[in-house]
PDB file of all heavy atoms in Angstrom:
ATOM      1  N   ARG A 164     136.407  72.847 152.229  1.00 96.00           N
ATOM      2  CA  ARG A 164     136.011  72.325 150.929  1.00 96.00           C
ATOM      3  C   ARG A 164     135.560  73.400 149.968  1.00 96.00           C
ATOM      4  O   ARG A 164     134.793  74.255 150.292  1.00 96.00           O
ATOM      5  CB  ARG A 164     134.756  71.427 151.128  1.00 96.00           C
ATOM      6  CG  ARG A 164     134.081  70.864 149.992  1.00 96.00           C
ATOM      7  CD  ARG A 164     134.753  69.520 149.530  1.00 96.00           C
ATOM      8  NE  ARG A 164     134.293  69.114 148.204  1.00 96.00           N
ATOM      9  CZ  ARG A 164     133.394  68.249 148.095  1.00 96.00           C
ATOM     10  NH1 ARG A 164     132.813  67.578 148.996  1.00 96.00           N
ATOM     11  NH2 ARG A 164     132.982  67.870 146.807  1.00 96.00           N
ATOM     12  N   SER A 165     136.248  73.435 148.790  1.00 97.00           N
ATOM     13  CA  SER A 165     135.893  74.363 147.684  1.00 97.00           C
ATOM     14  C   SER A 165     134.622  73.893 147.001  1.00 97.00           C
ATOM     15  O   SER A 165     134.683  72.801 146.464  1.00 97.00           O
ATOM     16  CB  SER A 165     137.054  74.587 146.751  1.00 97.00           C
ATOM     17  OG  SER A 165     138.110  75.237 147.294  1.00 97.00           O
ATOM     18  N   LEU A 166     133.598  74.664 146.903  1.00 97.00           N
ATOM     19  CA  LEU A 166     132.371  74.295 146.244  1.00 97.00           C
ATOM     20  C   LEU A 166     131.505  75.452 145.867  1.00 97.00           C
ATOM     21  O   LEU A 166     131.799  76.597 146.327  1.00 97.00           O
ATOM     22  CB  LEU A 166     131.589  73.257 147.117  1.00 97.00           C
ATOM     23  CG  LEU A 166     131.335  73.651 148.629  1.00 97.00           C
ATOM     24  CD1 LEU A 166     130.328  74.707 148.816  1.00 97.00           C
ATOM     25  CD2 LEU A 166     130.919  72.410 149.407  1.00 97.00           C
ATOM     26  N   ARG A 167     130.510  75.285 144.995  1.00 97.00           N
ATOM     27  CA  ARG A 167     129.618  76.337 144.633  1.00 97.00           C
ATOM     28  C   ARG A 167     128.327  76.165 145.405  1.00 97.00           C
ATOM     29  O   ARG A 167     127.681  77.091 145.745  1.00 97.00           O
ATOM     30  CB  ARG A 167     129.381  76.314 143.163  1.00 97.00           C
ATOM     31  CG  ARG A 167     128.320  77.393 142.785  1.00 97.00           C
ATOM     32  CD  ARG A 167     128.022  77.346 141.316  1.00 97.00           C
ATOM     33  NE  ARG A 167     126.736  78.068 141.117  1.00 97.00           N
ATOM     34  CZ  ARG A 167     126.490  78.809 140.129  1.00 97.00           C
ATOM     35  NH1 ARG A 167     127.382  78.922 139.144  1.00 97.00           N
ATOM     36  NH2 ARG A 167     125.361  79.467 140.072  1.00 97.00           N
ATOM     37  N   ALA A 168     127.910  74.923 145.689  1.00 97.00           N
ATOM     38  CA  ALA A 168     126.659  74.664 146.362  1.00 97.00           C
ATOM     39  C   ALA A 168     126.730  73.595 147.361  1.00 97.00           C
ATOM     40  O   ALA A 168     127.680  72.652 147.202  1.00 97.00           O
ATOM     41  CB  ALA A 168     125.546  74.310 145.291  1.00 97.00           C
ATOM     42  N   VAL A 169     125.964  73.595 148.364  1.00 97.00           N
ATOM     43  CA  VAL A 169     125.903  72.541 149.343  1.00 97.00           C
ATOM     44  C   VAL A 169     124.445  72.061 149.587  1.00 97.00           C
ATOM     45  O   VAL A 169     123.551  72.848 149.511  1.00 97.00           O
ATOM     46  CB  VAL A 169     126.535  72.999 150.704  1.00 97.00           C
ATOM     47  CG1 VAL A 169     125.770  74.188 151.308  1.00 97.00           C
ATOM     48  CG2 VAL A 169     126.730  71.899 151.649  1.00 97.00           C
ATOM     49  N   ARG A 170     124.336  70.828 149.709  1.00 96.00           N
ATOM     50  CA  ARG A 170     122.978  70.194 150.027  1.00 96.00           C
ATOM     51  C   ARG A 170     123.037  69.592 151.387  1.00 96.00           C
ATOM     52  O   ARG A 170     123.905  68.770 151.695  1.00 96.00           O
ATOM     53  CB  ARG A 170     122.629  69.132 148.949  1.00 96.00           C
ATOM     54  CG  ARG A 170     121.366  68.464 149.327  1.00 96.00           C
ATOM     55  CD  ARG A 170     120.819  67.606 148.072  1.00 96.00           C
ATOM     56  NE  ARG A 170     120.475  68.502 147.010  1.00 96.00           N
ATOM     57  CZ  ARG A 170     120.585  68.155 145.775  1.00 96.00           C
ATOM     58  NH1 ARG A 170     121.089  67.000 145.389  1.00 96.00           N
ATOM     59  NH2 ARG A 170     120.229  69.075 144.790  1.00 96.00           N
ATOM     60  N   VAL A 171     122.026  69.955 152.218  1.00 93.00           N
ATOM     61  CA  VAL A 171     121.961  69.352 153.538  1.00 93.00           C
ATOM     62  C   VAL A 171     120.866  68.387 153.426  1.00 93.00           C
ATOM     63  O   VAL A 171     119.677  68.777 153.111  1.00 93.00           O
ATOM     64  CB  VAL A 171     121.536  70.463 154.587  1.00 93.00           C
ATOM     65  CG1 VAL A 171     121.459  69.890 155.973  1.00 93.00           C
ATOM     66  CG2 VAL A 171     122.539  71.658 154.563  1.00 93.00           C
ATOM     67  N   GLN A 172     121.128  67.147 153.596  1.00 93.00           N
ATOM     68  CA  GLN A 172     120.150  66.023 153.446  1.00 93.00           C
ATOM     69  C   GLN A 172     119.871  65.332 154.799  1.00 93.00           C
ATOM     70  O   GLN A 172     120.838  64.956 155.448  1.00 93.00           O
ATOM     71  CB  GLN A 172     120.509  65.060 152.378  1.00 93.00           C
ATOM     72  CG  GLN A 172     119.528  64.084 152.112  1.00 93.00           C
ATOM     73  CD  GLN A 172     119.882  63.224 150.877  1.00 93.00           C
ATOM     74  OE1 GLN A 172     120.487  63.684 149.929  1.00 93.00           O
ATOM     75  NE2 GLN A 172     119.385  62.047 150.825  1.00 93.00           N
ATOM     76  N   ILE A 173     118.623  65.175 155.128  1.00 88.00           N
ATOM     77  CA  ILE A 173     118.233  64.501 156.393  1.00 88.00           C
ATOM     78  C   ILE A 173     118.577  63.029 156.252  1.00 88.00           C
ATOM     79  O   ILE A 173     118.207  62.382 155.271  1.00 88.00           O
ATOM     80  CB  ILE A 173     116.709  64.702 156.646  1.00 88.00           C
ATOM     81  CG1 ILE A 173     116.515  66.151 156.968  1.00 88.00           C
ATOM     82  CG2 ILE A 173     116.286  63.811 157.897  1.00 88.00           C
ATOM     83  CD1 ILE A 173     114.968  66.408 157.220  1.00 88.00           C
ATOM     84  N   LYS A 174     119.358  62.589 157.188  1.00 88.00           N
ATOM     85  CA  LYS A 174     119.661  61.173 157.273  1.00 88.00           C
ATOM     86  C   LYS A 174     118.651  60.457 158.221  1.00 88.00           C
ATOM     87  O   LYS A 174     118.196  59.366 157.935  1.00 88.00           O
ATOM     88  CB  LYS A 174     121.103  61.056 157.861  1.00 88.00           C
ATOM     89  CG  LYS A 174     121.665  59.630 157.847  1.00 88.00           C
ATOM     90  CD  LYS A 174     123.198  59.879 158.236  1.00 88.00           C
ATOM     91  CE  LYS A 174     123.931  58.569 158.216  1.00 88.00           C
ATOM     92  NZ  LYS A 174     125.387  58.812 158.532  1.00 88.00           N
ATOM     93  N   THR A 175     118.392  61.090 159.332  1.00 81.00           N
ATOM     94  CA  THR A 175     117.535  60.527 160.438  1.00 81.00           C
ATOM     95  C   THR A 175     116.586  61.631 160.906  1.00 81.00           C
ATOM     96  O   THR A 175     117.141  62.686 161.424  1.00 81.00           O
ATOM     97  CB  THR A 175     118.274  59.891 161.526  1.00 81.00           C
ATOM     98  OG1 THR A 175     119.255  59.051 161.050  1.00 81.00           O
ATOM     99  CG2 THR A 175     117.355  59.223 162.502  1.00 81.00           C
ATOM    100  N   PRO A 176     115.312  61.569 160.820  1.00 75.00           N
ATOM    101  CA  PRO A 176     114.417  62.576 161.444  1.00 75.00           C
ATOM    102  C   PRO A 176     114.520  62.613 162.904  1.00 75.00           C
ATOM    103  O   PRO A 176     115.032  61.635 163.514  1.00 75.00           O
ATOM    104  CB  PRO A 176     112.968  62.155 160.991  1.00 75.00           C
ATOM    105  CG  PRO A 176     113.199  61.092 159.961  1.00 75.00           C
ATOM    106  CD  PRO A 176     114.591  60.516 160.173  1.00 75.00           C
ATOM    107  N   ASN A 177     114.080  63.642 163.618  1.00 73.00           N
ATOM    108  CA  ASN A 177     114.120  63.616 165.001  1.00 73.00           C
ATOM    109  C   ASN A 177     113.034  62.855 165.643  1.00 73.00           C
ATOM    110  O   ASN A 177     112.049  62.486 164.949  1.00 73.00           O
ATOM    111  CB  ASN A 177     114.169  65.139 165.586  1.00 73.00           C
ATOM    112  CG  ASN A 177     112.862  65.852 165.395  1.00 73.00           C
ATOM    113  OD1 ASN A 177     111.772  65.263 165.387  1.00 73.00           O
ATOM    114  ND2 ASN A 177     112.955  67.179 165.119  1.00 73.00           N
ATOM    115  N   ALA A 178     113.159  62.523 166.903  1.00 70.00           N
ATOM    116  CA  ALA A 178     112.221  61.633 167.550  1.00 70.00           C
ATOM    117  C   ALA A 178     110.902  62.275 167.640  1.00 70.00           C
ATOM    118  O   ALA A 178     109.817  61.561 167.759  1.00 70.00           O
ATOM    119  CB  ALA A 178     112.750  61.229 168.843  1.00 70.00           C
ATOM    120  N   ASN A 179     110.745  63.629 167.671  1.00 69.00           N
ATOM    121  CA  ASN A 179     109.520  64.336 167.770  1.00 69.00           C
ATOM    122  C   ASN A 179     108.629  64.266 166.487  1.00 69.00           C
ATOM    123  O   ASN A 179     107.539  64.697 166.508  1.00 69.00           O
ATOM    124  CB  ASN A 179     109.742  65.787 168.194  1.00 69.00           C
ATOM    125  CG  ASN A 179     110.557  65.939 169.452  1.00 69.00           C
ATOM    126  OD1 ASN A 179     110.376  65.119 170.381  1.00 69.00           O
ATOM    127  ND2 ASN A 179     111.350  66.928 169.636  1.00 69.00           N
ATOM    128  N   LYS A 180     109.243  63.806 165.416  1.00 65.00           N
ATOM    129  CA  LYS A 180     108.678  63.767 164.139  1.00 65.00           C
ATOM    130  C   LYS A 180     108.158  65.219 163.690  1.00 65.00           C
ATOM    131  O   LYS A 180     107.071  65.248 163.019  1.00 65.00           O
ATOM    132  CB  LYS A 180     107.540  62.714 164.060  1.00 65.00           C
ATOM    133  CG  LYS A 180     108.072  61.338 164.381  1.00 65.00           C
ATOM    134  CD  LYS A 180     107.018  60.321 164.214  1.00 65.00           C
ATOM    135  CE  LYS A 180     107.699  58.904 164.580  1.00 65.00           C
ATOM    136  NZ  LYS A 180     106.783  57.847 164.543  1.00 65.00           N
TER     137      LYS A 180
END
Side-chain angles (χ1 to χ4, degrees):
R164 173 88 192 260
S165 292
L166 47 77
R167 175 180 164 146
V169 63
R170 176 170 290 148
V171 181
Q172 185 169 329
I173 294 174
K174 188 173 181 178
T175 309
N177 67 35
N179 300 329
K180 298 182 181 177

